[in-house]
Amino acid sequence: MHNILAATYANLNQFDASIECSNHALQIDPENIKALKNLGGALKHIGDLTSAIECYHNALQIEPGNADLHNNLGTALKETEDIGTAEKSFQAALEIDPDNVANITSLCDFYDKTNDLSGLACTISKSKNNSTLNNSNFLYYCAMLHFRQKEYAIAKTYIDQIKPDELIPKGANVFYGLKGKILDKIGMYDDAFSAFSHMNKQVADSDLCKQINPDKYFNSISSSLKKFKEAPNYLHSTNSIKIDLVNTPCFLIGFPRSGTTLLDTILRSHSKITRLLRFLGLEWETAITNYQKTALERGTINTPSYNQVVQPLYKDALYRWKNYDKYFQPYTDQIQPWIERFGYA
């Protein structure tokens, strides 16, 4: 009963209640695998990764051949950026149950998110069979691999076979996003726009989105801006301020999807990342042009642009918006000033 309640509360995103029920189950039976699994999952969702990992380790001592536990452990370890150990956990799950598509796609997702395309290609190649090639979740990673390898026509053959209603929860929005990108690359702009629109609708209709108050974000920005404006102007202060140029933190501030991850990665490529290049008069370093190497060495990049910042400099996006110009027409008055300001015309 406690395990059923714990799982139910977790599905309702009531993780504190789920943790309480799991602990009750473990008081009755300390070796209850379901209770340990539920507890680990709830702890991970509230951000207590250390305790979650401990739960999974305890469960695996009791049942070392449980593939689900290895998978869950790998997910938690990946979030702590313990990439090497996480990879071993995902591989262990697949070795235990190689025919389970969930184990295959978990390892595929790990390699995709850590930008290890050789690992992704190897896993897909080893796992291709009549069963997996009829599984939409597996086909998604086939499409993703060929998209990232710039084989867009092949990527489309896989994406076209996917049935969105067969995807795992939260999988439909990323499917439509990938489909839109593939169609954009092969010049099918109307179909691409339709896919992106479906993606936005999937997100807007999600339970998580419905729990979010959009005004809260804008109010937070307005409040922060007001505080900055009311703060003493230290930049023009006559008082002497000693600054540690080596250890002083550097803050990157930008609106969502504005390129802050890329800028952060480029600056990480400089040996003195706490100083801005021109503003503080730093000399050019050739490592900056190889920022994608820096990105690959970071392991996991927890932003939507994880697979973009590892690309070399490119010009594909120049004037891409013109392919969708007709869809912007109703909003011309709002966006035209910004088109002119940023030189997009």
Side-chain angles (χ1 to χ4, degrees):
M1 178 62 72
H2 290 300
N3 286 333
I4 295 173
L5 283 172
T8 301
Y9 280 126
N11 289 333
L12 295 172
N13 294 324
Q14 298 179 25
F15 298 112
D16 290 337
S18 178
I19 290 170
E20 184 178 352
C21 290
S22 295
N23 282 327
H24 280 309
L26 290 169
Q27 287 174 358
I28 298 169
D29 179 7
E31 295 189 353
N32 189 316
I33 295 297
K34 287 186 178 180
L36 286 168
K37 183 180 175 181
N38 288 336
L39 181 58
L43 288 167
K44 185 180 83 68
H45 275 95
I46 66 171
D48 189 353
L49 294 173
T50 301
S51 297
I53 289 168
E54 183 181 356
C55 267
Y56 294 136
H57 278 306
N58 291 339
L60 283 167
Q61 287 180 351
I62 302 166
E63 201 171 301
N66 189 311
D68 285 344
L69 289 173
H70 283 287
N71 248 334
N72 292 351
L73 176 60
T75 301
L77 288 167
K78 185 180 73 171
E79 291 192 21
T80 67
E81 299 191 7
D82 187 351
I83 303 303
T85 313
E87 181 180 19
K88 291 177 182 177
S89 294
F90 288 123
Q91 289 174 338
L94 189 55
E95 288 173 6
I96 293 167
D97 191 357
D99 295 325
N100 189 324
V101 177
N103 296 335
I104 298 169
T105 55
S106 290
L107 186 57
C108 286
D109 188 71
F110 169 79
Y111 285 132
D112 175 46
K113 295 298 191 302
T114 55
N115 292 303
D116 184 350
L117 295 189
S118 61
L120 178 59
C122 182
T123 303
I124 288 174
S125 176
K126 289 181 178 179
S127 304
K128 277 185 177 178
N129 55 50
N130 290 335
S131 177
T132 56
L133 288 174
N134 282 296
N135 185 287
S136 291
N137 294 291
F138 179 75
L139 291 170
Y140 170 82
Y141 289 101
C142 295
M144 175 62 81
L145 174 65
H146 289 288
F147 172 76
R148 297 194 63 177
Q149 292 176 332
K150 304 186 187 305
E151 299 167 342
Y152 304 122
I154 299 175
K156 185 177 182 299
T157 64
Y158 284 109
I159 208 78
D160 285 345
Q161 299 177 59
I162 294 175
K163 299 174 183 177
D165 58 347
E166 294 181 356
L167 295 169
I168 60 171
K170 301 180 182 178
N173 61 322
V174 293
F175 155 73
Y176 283 115
L178 177 59
K179 184 174 184 178
K181 292 176 184 177
I182 293 170
L183 293 169
D184 175 86
K185 289 294 185 181
I186 60 178
M188 299 177 65
Y189 302 119
D190 289 336
D191 290 332
F193 188 85
S194 175
F196 290 134
S197 297
H198 274 93
M199 176 188 69
N200 290 338
K201 188 176 187 305
Q202 288 285 331
V203 174
D205 291 344
S206 67
D207 291 337
L208 179 60
C209 187
K210 290 175 182 177
Q211 297 172 17
I212 296 173
N213 178 7
D215 291 334
K216 184 177 180 180
Y217 174 77
F218 291 106
N219 291 339
S220 174
I221 296 296
S222 298
S223 176
S224 297
L225 183 60
K226 181 180 178 182
K227 290 177 181 178
F228 279 124
K229 288 181 177 179
E230 294 176 350
N233 190 349
Y234 291 112
L235 290 177
H236 296 88
S237 173
T238 57
N239 296 327
S240 176
I241 301 175
K242 293 184 179 181
I243 299 176
D244 181 350
L245 292 177
V246 175
N247 297 312
T248 299
C250 177
F251 296 94
L252 298 179
I253 301 173
F255 55 84
R257 310 297 293 123
S258 64
T260 48
T261 303
L262 178 58
L263 180 56
D264 171 55
T265 303
I266 292 173
L267 290 175
R268 283 173 185 249
S269 303
H270 197 283
S271 62
K272 300 169 184 174
I273 62 171
T274 59
R275 309 181 190 184
L276 294 175
L277 293 178
R278 288 191 301 173
F279 182 72
L280 295 178
L282 281 177
E283 295 182 0
W284 176 261
E285 289 189 359
T286 54
I288 294 175
T289 61
N290 196 19
Y291 61 86
Q292 64 268 35
K293 179 175 180 290
T294 302
L296 289 169
E297 291 173 350
R298 291 176 64 176
T300 54
I301 300 174
N302 297 315
T303 68
S305 57
Y306 73 94
N307 59 4
Q308 294 174 315
V309 297
V310 295
Q311 300 297 318
L313 291 173
Y314 60 88
K315 297 182 179 180
D316 298 20
L318 284 174
Y319 304 108
R320 179 183 289 166
W321 69 272
K322 290 189 174 182
N323 298 320
Y324 305 93
D325 186 36
K326 64 182 180 182
Y327 298 105
F328 295 140
Q329 292 305 315
Y331 313 101
T332 299
D333 291 342
Q334 293 99 313
I335 64 176
Q336 189 61 38
W338 298 105
I339 291 175
E340 295 174 0
R341 177 170 178 176
F342 291 117
Y344 293 156

